[in-house]
Amino acid sequence: MDYFARYFSEKKIADAMVLIREDFFQATLSTLYITLMSTLFAILIGLPLGIILVTGDAKGIRPLPRWLMSILNWIINLLRSAPFIILIVLLMPFTRMMLGSAVGDGGVIVPLVIAAFPFVARLVEGSLRELNPNIIEMAQSSGANTWQTVFHVMLPESVPSLITSFTTAITTILGYTAMSGAVGGGGLGNLAIAQGQQRSNHAVLLAALVILVILVQIIQTFGTWLARKSDKRLKN
Amino acid sequence: MIEISNLSKSFVTASGTVDALRNINLTIHDGDIYGIIGMSGAGKSTLVRCINMLERPTEGNVRLDGVDLGSLSKKKMQEMRHHVTMIFQSFNLLMQRNCLQNIMLPLKLTHMPKDQAVKRATELLATVGMADKAKAYPAQLSGGQQQRIAIARALATDPKVLLCDEATSALDPKTTHDILTLIREINQKLGITVIVITHQMSVVQEICNRVAILENGTVVEEGDVSEVFSNPKARATKRLVYPDMSAGIETLGTEHNQMVRLVFQGAEAATKPLLASMAMECRIAANILSATTRTLDGKVYGTMLLNIPGGPEELARAVQYLSGTGNVRVQVESEYAQQMGQTPTGEEE
C-alpha cells in the first residue's frame, strides 16, 4: 500500500494526466526524430563498414591488409563495449565541435550515431556472411569486379536479411534514446526520468513505457512484414 | 583452343600442403564437348576453376587461343570471364531477382544499355525454352528450369567456352537428359566449346566427344570417348566404365575363367539376336552376368559380361563366333586368355 501511496497518489496521477495531455505528443515526436536521424547516420556509416568487414576479410573478395582489418575490428569492438551513458559524456567535446552545442536533441544524436554505427556494421556483416558463397563465386566467374559483386549481387541478395537487421537497429536505438535526458535531449526517456523518476511519479514512467512498447511493436511488426514481403525465396 | 600445360595446384592447409592437381596436360579443341571425369576428390572442380582462373595454378599455365590466362591483368581477366562462362551444380541463380533479371546480370556487368539487355535476355529465354518464365522467380522453378535459366545467363555474353561444373548432378535422369540435349544443341548451333565436369560416366557417354579421366589430381587416361569406353586402360577408368562389375566377379568364384566381355561400339541392335544365334549355331548357352548397354539411334553401345559354360574349347569357339559379328569387341576376362594366345583386348570387329 505504501508503494501505491507514494508513487501513484491521486495527485500524482492527476499530474501525470496533465503531462500526458500536454507534453507526451511532443516527446514522442522528439523520440522518433532522434531515433530516425541516429539510425539513418548509423546506417550511412555502418553499411559501408559492414561491407568492408566482409569483402576485406582474408577470405573475402578483396582482402585488405591484415593490420587494417585488425584496427577496424578493434575500433568496432571498443565502441561497442563502451556503455552508452559514458560515451555521451566522453563525446561531449566532440559533439560540441560538430554541432556547436552538446545538449538538446542534437547532443544525443551524435553520441547515438557513434554508439550505433559499430552495431549496425556488425549486423550488416552478419547479413552478408549469411549469403551463399556459391553466389559470390558465380559473380566472380561472370567477370564481376569487387564493386559490381557488392552492388549487383551481394546487397540485392541480402535485402530481406538487411531489413531485419535494420529493424533490430532501430528498436535498439529507440531504447538508447531514453538516456537522452542526461544531456537535455528531448523525448520520452527524458520525460520519464525528469518527471517520473525524479519526482517519484511512476504513472508518468508507466505511460512513457507504454508508448515506447507500442512504438517498438509497430516498428518490429512493420520491419518483419517488409522483410517477408521483399523476400522472393518464399513461394506465394 | 584451350591448352593446359604442366598445370599443378596445391593448397596450403593447417595440416600441410595438399596437391590437388599434378602436372596436368590437356588440349581442348574448338567445338569439342570435353568431359573431365573422376570420383569426388579427384580434383575436377579445382581443374575447372583453374581454367577460368578462379583458382590460380601453382605451376604451369592455361592458354586460350594462345593467350596465357595467368598473365592477364585483373581487368582483362574479368573480360575473359565474359568469354569463358560457367554453370554450376547448384545453379547459383540470384534468388531475389526474376529470370529475366538473372539473365541480364552478365550484360549489366558489361554495361550494355538496358533496352538492349532486355531484348537479348528475352531472346535467350526463348533459346532455353523458358519464354513464359521471364517474370518468375527462381524459387518458383524446378531444378531443371533453374539450370535452363543459368545456361541462358551463361550464354548472354556470347562466350567461346562454357564450363559445366557437375551441372546435372542435382537433377533426375530425365531432366539430366533434357539439359544435356540443350547443351549439345548449344554446342552445335552456336559453336561453343563445352567442358563438362562430372562424376557420372553416363553424362560423358551421352554428350562428350573427348574425355579425360582424373584420379588423385592427375590425368590417368585421355582420348576419344568411344575409344576410352571400349578399351579402358587405367584402373580408374575401368572402375568408371564398369562400375558394377568388379563386385560381380568376386562372387563368381570358380567360374572366373569362363567370362567374356562384349563391348558394343554401335552394333546393329535389332537385326541379329547375337546370343540366341550363338546358342543355336555353336550350342553355347551364354549366361548374361551383367550388362550396361544402351541403344542410341538403333545402335547398341556399352558392355555385356557373359559366362560361357564348358571348358576352354567352348570359350574359344564363343570368342571366335562373337568376334565374327560387326562392331562388337570381345575380351576374355580370364587367366586362359594368355594360354589361348590372346591379348585381353581381343580382336576388333
Side-chain angles (χ1 to χ4, degrees):
Chain A
M1 287 308 281
D2 262 4
Y3 173 81
F4 281 100
R6 182 158 176 210
Y7 296 112
F8 292 98
S9 65
E10 258 176 55
K11 177 165 184 311
K12 286 194 167 155
I13 289 175
D15 285 351
M17 292 311 287
V18 173
L19 275 173
I20 289 168
R21 258 199 309 278
E22 291 177 359
D23 293 346
F24 263 58
F25 182 68
Q26 190 56 46
T28 306
L29 283 187
S30 212
T31 293
L32 284 175
Y33 169 76
I34 294 169
T35 303
L36 293 179
M37 289 303 282
S38 305
T39 307
L40 181 72
F41 284 107
I43 289 176
L44 281 178
I45 304 169
L47 180 64
L49 193 58
I51 294 170
I52 290 170
L53 287 176
V54 176
T55 58
D57 192 85
K59 285 181 178 160
I61 55 171
R62 183 128 190 210
L64 291 173
R66 255 202 144 120
W67 59 267
L68 185 61
M69 294 307 290
S70 299
I71 290 178
L72 280 181
N73 275 297
W74 190 78
I75 292 174
I76 288 171
N77 292 342
L78 181 95
L79 287 173
R80 288 208 57 201
S81 50
F84 181 52
I85 194 76
I86 294 177
L87 212 55
I88 289 181
V89 178
L90 283 177
L91 284 169
M92 275 179 133
F94 175 71
T95 310
R96 207 170 285 129
M97 199 178 74
M98 297 262 304
L99 303 174
S101 152
V103 294
D105 287 357
V108 76
I109 289 176
V110 171
L112 253 181
V113 171
I114 303 294
F117 86 80
F119 176 54
V120 172
R122 286 280 181 235
L123 288 172
V124 170
E125 182 190 12
S127 288
L128 295 183
R129 284 198 195 282
E130 272 172 34
L131 263 180
N132 182 349
N134 291 341
I135 291 286
I136 313 284
E137 186 184 48
M138 179 280 292
Q140 300 282 290
S141 78
S142 306
N145 59 32
T146 308
W147 193 258
Q148 289 171 327
T149 305
V150 170
F151 285 93
H152 290 312
V153 176
M154 292 173 72
L155 288 180
E157 282 295 284
S158 306
V159 163
S161 174
L162 286 174
I163 291 175
T164 305
S165 292
F166 292 157
T167 306
T168 306
I170 296 181
T171 51
T172 306
I173 290 170
L174 183 67
Y176 278 12
T177 61
M179 282 174 246
S180 69
V183 287
L188 290 165
N190 181 32
L191 203 65
I193 300 294
Q195 304 294 331
Q197 194 237 331
Q198 285 165 12
R199 293 188 179 188
S200 306
N201 188 338
H202 282 203
V204 176
L205 278 179
L206 272 180
L209 180 67
V210 166
I211 294 178
L212 285 171
V213 166
I214 292 172
L215 285 180
V216 169
Q217 291 293 343
I218 291 173
I219 293 168
Q220 189 61 55
T221 306
F222 177 70
T224 307
W225 172 80
L226 198 64
R228 283 187 68 91
K229 191 174 149 59
S230 71
D231 195 346
K232 309 300 183 196
R233 283 172 300 185
L234 307 167
K235 301 181 189 186
N236 297 314
Chain B
M1 186 164 77
I2 297 170
E3 295 155 284
I4 300 171
S5 40
N6 305 318
L7 186 140
S8 297
K9 171 79 188 177
S10 42
F11 294 101
V12 180
T13 66
S15 51
T17 308
V18 178
D19 293 325
L21 297 171
R22 274 171 293 180
N23 198 29
I24 308 276
N25 289 283
L26 292 175
T27 302
I28 297 154
H29 294 280
D30 289 348
D32 272 354
I33 301 186
Y34 197 104
I36 296 173
I37 184 168
M39 306 287 186
S40 24
K44 320 177 285 280
S45 286
T46 309
L47 179 55
V48 76
R49 279 161 181 74
C50 282
I51 294 176
N52 66 0
M53 294 285 141
L54 280 180
E55 296 281 3
R56 284 308 192 93
T58 315
E59 276 172 58
N61 46 43
V62 178
R63 285 200 181 77
L64 174 63
D65 297 334
V67 178
D68 180 2
L69 299 183
S71 71
L72 295 177
S73 67
K74 206 167 184 178
K75 200 156 184 233
K76 291 273 176 202
M77 181 96 65
Q78 281 152 3
E79 220 174 282
M80 173 273 285
R81 289 181 186 150
H82 299 313
H83 306 298
V84 181
T85 58
M86 198 166 176
I87 59 174
F88 306 86
Q89 176 170 7
S90 51
F91 325 127
N92 298 353
L93 297 177
L94 299 179
M95 300 307 280
Q96 307 295 348
R97 292 280 181 264
N98 67 31
C99 293
L100 197 72
Q101 290 166 326
N102 263 286
I103 300 171
M104 281 165 64
L105 176 71
L107 302 172
K108 257 196 229 166
L109 302 180
T110 58
H111 307 290
M112 184 187 270
K114 196 177 173 205
D115 52 335
Q116 275 181 51
V118 171
K119 191 164 164 275
R120 172 94 182 115
T122 310
E123 286 168 15
L124 286 162
L125 271 171
T127 306
V128 297
M130 299 282 289
D132 54 333
K133 297 289 185 192
K135 296 277 179 249
Y137 285 92
Q140 297 163 317
L141 303 180
S142 69
Q145 289 174 320
Q146 289 194 44
Q147 196 60 291
R148 281 173 187 272
I149 299 299
I151 290 171
R153 178 177 64 188
L155 295 178
T157 45
D158 268 327
K160 279 185 207 154
V161 181
L162 176 65
L163 306 174
C164 307
D165 182 20
E166 297 276 9
T168 57
S169 300
L171 304 173
D172 62 65
K174 163 82 170 73
T175 314
T176 295
H177 173 74
D178 294 345
I179 293 292
L180 292 178
T181 306
L182 176 64
I183 292 173
R184 188 176 24 224
E185 271 174 33
I186 286 162
N187 166 261
Q188 285 168 356
K189 284 187 191 153
L190 306 174
I192 295 173
T193 306
V194 181
I195 298 177
V196 175
I197 299 290
T198 183
H199 66 274
Q200 294 169 302
M201 209 60 197
S202 57
V203 169
V204 172
Q205 203 172 3
E206 191 165 344
I207 60 166
C208 297
N209 62 325
R210 287 185 73 79
V211 64
I213 290 90
L214 211 56
E215 192 189 28
N216 294 328
T218 53
V219 174
V220 292
E221 196 162 349
E222 199 255 346
D224 282 338
V225 169
S226 56
E227 179 58 32
V228 170
F229 258 71
S230 47
N231 190 11
K233 294 192 185 78
R235 259 203 13 244
T237 319
K238 284 184 181 163
R239 263 210 312 277
L240 286 160
V241 176
Y242 316 125
D244 48 343
M245 292 202 177
S246 46
I249 288 167
E250 278 169 34
T251 57
L252 286 169
T254 54
E255 292 188 87
H256 240 218
N257 47 20
Q258 291 293 97
M259 288 196 298
V260 165
R261 188 189 305 283
L262 293 182
V263 181
F264 297 88
Q265 298 163 282
E268 296 293 336
T271 49
K272 202 174 173 195
L274 190 58
L275 296 185
S277 39
M278 180 167 80
M280 288 190 290
E281 291 173 30
C282 309
R283 293 169 173 270
I284 298 172
N287 188 13
I288 301 176
L289 298 176
S290 94
T292 53
T293 54
R294 62 171 62 204
T295 311
L296 278 175
D297 299 329
K299 295 189 171 164
V300 183
Y301 294 87
T303 67
M304 196 180 274
L305 194 64
L306 302 179
N307 180 29
I308 309 294
E313 192 261 333
E314 280 80 7
L315 184 62
R317 275 201 294 133
V319 170
Q320 196 191 5
Y321 180 81
L322 294 167
S323 303
T325 48
N327 282 329
V328 179
R329 185 186 293 209
V330 184
Q331 300 170 6
V332 179
E333 297 281 319
S334 72
E335 60 258 40
Y336 284 117
Q338 284 178 337
Q339 291 177 19
M340 288 164 65
Q342 274 186 313
T343 58
T345 46
E347 300 158 41
E348 205 162 337
E349 309 210 343

